[in-house]
């Protein structure tokens, strides 16, 4: 599939390139085709590695807690580390990319993921485990931000298809890690350290495709370079400092809060849902499989939801539909966590697809490329900051509340404002117009 995708991208790019480019079959054309395929492989392998550090830990959280002597509050802190790292390190990615090139930064990010996943299980202490996790998440954070940049640069006429491939690989990596971590740990001798460390090998594989490309500092293939003359006007416009003041837009704030609340729900789910099922009497392997089902729902819906959203003038109905699924899933976890476990896993998986919806709305709520960039940076950085307390608070409530009643009530309570701000963010308007109106 990757080779077919790369071949289609190469054919399209070659077809749109000026006739002055190298003839088909020449060494230059063959090199470009090989390089393009390498980029596709790098994108897919990197996307696969953007979530296993989180979901593999969720599947073995009880064993990690027992092995390191963690309290529920500290475990909650551990599940809050991902959004914190994404907020802190993600904002550094554009600056690093300007200095070193996006390919070099993503390559370094995958190296950091590999090192962190190999270090944290054998650190021997809670502090060391947190440090190793932070290192891996730092690499994930910068790669998370820059993967869309690489897609746009290398595949400007196939952004949709490549983003779909990227999203599918991300969801697949998330769900597979949740499903196989426990049985793989048992097969390797039952030690949670080995079960977590093995994912470092997958991350190491993601480093390899980028290494030959680092020397080019992320230089795009020849067709894009040939198109630079036609893009000169756009480049000059982008060099001008934008007048947009994003914080004056109510839609920008609504989208930031929506992004933050959906991220809160996602990281609570990834960090704690398997434990909820295990405490209800579900086996560890089945609980991991249930988490995998929840994550796997993002594979098909990552394609469907953005397509439907772009055809609607107002995305509020989709926000409401996803929120209702979330409320039903949380109610099921409260009333009969084991009895209807598979249904709750599916419902929560559908609800968690608010993430691709949020990314789609970022592109729809701004008119210009500069506006999209500003809105994306603002919504994601502010949103991840908003999401930090949620998983930690769940850990505290779980430890001191005597069960999952209060944590699940918190999840239900957060879904209501998520739906409200999502409806506001989905209105048919742009941040440029709002910012100008309040100037």
């Amino acid at each position: 599939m990757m080779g077919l995708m790369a071949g289609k991208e190469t054919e399209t790019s070659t077809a749109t390139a000026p006739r002055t480019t190298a003839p088909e079959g020449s060494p230059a054309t063959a090199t470009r085709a090989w390089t393009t395929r390498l980029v596709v492989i790098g994108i897919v392998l990197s996307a696969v590695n953007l979530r296993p550090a989180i979901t593999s830990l969720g599947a073995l959280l009880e064993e990690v807690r027992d092995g390191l002597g963690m309290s529920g509050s500290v475990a909650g802190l551990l599940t809050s580390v991902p959004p914190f790292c994404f907020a802190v390190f993600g904002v550094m990615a554009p600056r690093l990319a300007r200095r070193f090139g996006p390919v070099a930064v993503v390559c370094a990010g995958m190296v950091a993921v590999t090192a962190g996943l190999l270090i944290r299980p054998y650190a021997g202490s809670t502090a060391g485990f947190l440090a190793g996790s932070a290192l891996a998440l730092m690499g994930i954070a910068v790669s998370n931000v820059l993967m869309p940049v690489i897609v746009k640069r290398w595949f400007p006429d196939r952004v949709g298809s490549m983003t779909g491939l990227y999203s599918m690989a991300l969801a697949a990596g998330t769900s597979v890690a949740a499903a196989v971590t426990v049985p793989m740990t048992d097969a390797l001798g039952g030690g949670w350290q080995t079960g977590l460390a093995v994912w470092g090998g997958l991350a190491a594989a993601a480093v390899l495709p980028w290494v030959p490309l680092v020397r080019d500092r992320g230089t795009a293939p020849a067709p894009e370079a040939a198109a630079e003359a036609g893009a000169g006007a756009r480049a000059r416009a982008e060099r001008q400092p934008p007048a947009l003041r994003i914080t004056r837009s109510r839609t920008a704030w609504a989208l930031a809060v929506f992004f933050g609340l959906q991220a809160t729900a996602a990281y609570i789910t990834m960090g704690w849902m398997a434990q909820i099922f295990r405490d209800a009497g579900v086996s560890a392997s089945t609980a991991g499989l249930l988490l995998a089902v929840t994550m796997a729902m993002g594979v098909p819906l990552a394609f469907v939801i953005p397509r439907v959203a772009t055809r609607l003038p107002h995305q509020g109905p989709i926000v409401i539909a996803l929120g209702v699924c979330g409320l039903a899933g949380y109610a099921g976890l409260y009333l009969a966590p084991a009895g209807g476990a598979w249904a709750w896993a599916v419902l929560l998986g559908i609800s968690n697809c608010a993430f691709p919806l949020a990314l789609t709305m970022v592109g729809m709520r701004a008119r210009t490329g500069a506006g999209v960039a500003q809105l994306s940076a603002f919504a994601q950085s502010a949103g991840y900051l908003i999401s930090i307390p949620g998983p930690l608070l769940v850990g505290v409530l779980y430890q001191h509340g005597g069960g999952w009643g209060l944590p699940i009530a918190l999840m239900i309570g957060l879904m209501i404002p998520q739906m409200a701000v999502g409806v506001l963010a989905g209105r048919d308007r742009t941040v440029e117009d709002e910012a100008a109106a309040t100037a």
Side-chain angles (χ1 to χ4, degrees):
M1 180 178 181
M2 290 182 296
L4 177 60
M5 180 68 72
K8 290 182 178 178
E9 299 293 352
T10 304
E11 290 168 10
T12 303
S13 297
T14 304
T16 58
R19 295 185 182 274
T20 54
T21 56
E24 186 175 355
S26 69
T29 301
T31 299
R32 286 200 303 273
W34 178 85
T35 303
T36 301
R37 288 178 172 84
L38 201 60
V39 173
V40 173
I41 295 171
I43 288 172
V44 171
L45 287 178
S46 297
V48 167
N49 281 281
L50 292 180
R51 294 297 180 270
I54 303 170
T55 52
S56 63
L57 175 60
L60 293 174
L61 185 59
E62 183 174 316
E63 286 78 7
V64 174
R65 287 178 57 196
D66 293 342
L68 296 178
M70 288 184 186
S71 65
S73 299
V74 174
L77 175 62
L78 184 61
T79 57
S80 292
V81 170
F84 175 79
C85 289
F86 291 168
V88 172
F89 298 116
V91 297
M92 300 167 53
R95 180 176 298 179
L96 292 172
R98 285 193 297 269
R99 181 170 182 180
F100 301 105
V103 166
V105 177
V106 170
C107 183
M110 289 298 105
V111 171
V113 174
T114 303
L117 291 180
L118 293 176
I119 290 172
R120 71 176 184 175
Y122 303 106
S125 67
T126 298
F129 191 93
L130 286 170
S133 297
L135 177 60
L137 292 166
M138 177 180 66
I140 293 173
V142 296
S143 301
N144 229 1
V145 172
L146 294 179
M147 291 301 291
V149 175
I150 291 176
V151 167
K152 179 68 173 177
R153 175 172 292 191
W154 282 82
F155 308 99
D157 55 347
R158 288 292 186 271
V159 171
S161 61
M162 289 304 301
T163 301
L165 180 64
Y166 159 78
S167 300
M168 182 182 69
L170 190 152
T174 304
S175 58
V176 168
V180 308
T181 294
V182 172
M184 183 171 58
T185 300
D186 294 338
L188 294 174
W192 61 266
Q193 293 92 341
T194 305
L196 292 182
V198 71
W199 295 104
L202 183 62
V207 176
L208 301 179
W210 300 115
V211 173
L213 302 170
V214 169
R215 294 172 299 177
D216 298 328
R217 294 175 60 86
T219 301
E224 182 179 315
E228 286 181 355
R234 292 195 301 271
R236 287 190 294 272
E238 290 174 358
R239 283 196 295 267
Q240 297 174 358
L244 176 62
R245 296 187 179 182
I246 197 73
T247 55
R248 293 187 175 184
S249 167
R250 292 182 180 180
T251 297
W253 281 106
L255 192 51
V257 177
F258 178 69
F259 193 96
L261 291 176
Q262 67 81 26
T264 300
Y267 287 110
I268 289 174
T269 299
M270 285 188 283
W272 289 107
M273 195 179 82
Q275 189 65 50
I276 294 175
F277 285 128
R278 293 181 68 172
D279 287 350
V282 176
S283 68
S285 58
T286 302
L289 188 58
L290 287 164
L291 179 58
V293 168
T294 298
M295 299 298 106
M297 294 304 298
V299 176
L301 292 181
F303 287 100
V304 175
I305 289 177
R307 290 175 180 268
V308 175
T310 54
R311 295 174 182 175
L312 297 176
H314 193 310
Q315 289 72 50
I318 304 178
V319 172
I320 296 298
L322 297 179
V324 169
C325 288
L327 291 175
Y330 290 137
L333 285 180
Y334 183 84
L335 297 173
W342 295 101
W344 317 143
V346 170
L347 287 170
L348 291 174
I350 296 172
S351 178
N352 279 347
C353 289
F355 175 68
L357 176 61
L359 294 182
T360 303
M361 288 196 292
V362 166
M364 298 180 68
R365 296 286 87 87
R367 269 199 320 271
T368 65
V372 171
Q374 284 186 262
L375 179 57
S376 178
F378 175 74
Q380 293 201 45
S381 59
Y384 280 127
L385 286 173
I386 290 171
S387 70
I388 291 172
L392 174 60
L393 186 55
V394 166
V396 173
L397 292 175
Y398 172 57
Q399 180 178 359
H400 299 288
W404 286 107
L406 286 177
I408 293 175
L410 171 66
M411 299 174 204
I412 294 173
L414 291 177
M415 187 58 66
I416 303 302
Q418 177 180 322
M419 295 165 67
V421 294
V423 170
L424 293 176
R427 295 175 298 174
D428 187 12
R429 57 192 63 192
T430 65
V431 294
E432 289 92 347
D433 291 340
E434 289 185 339
T438 58

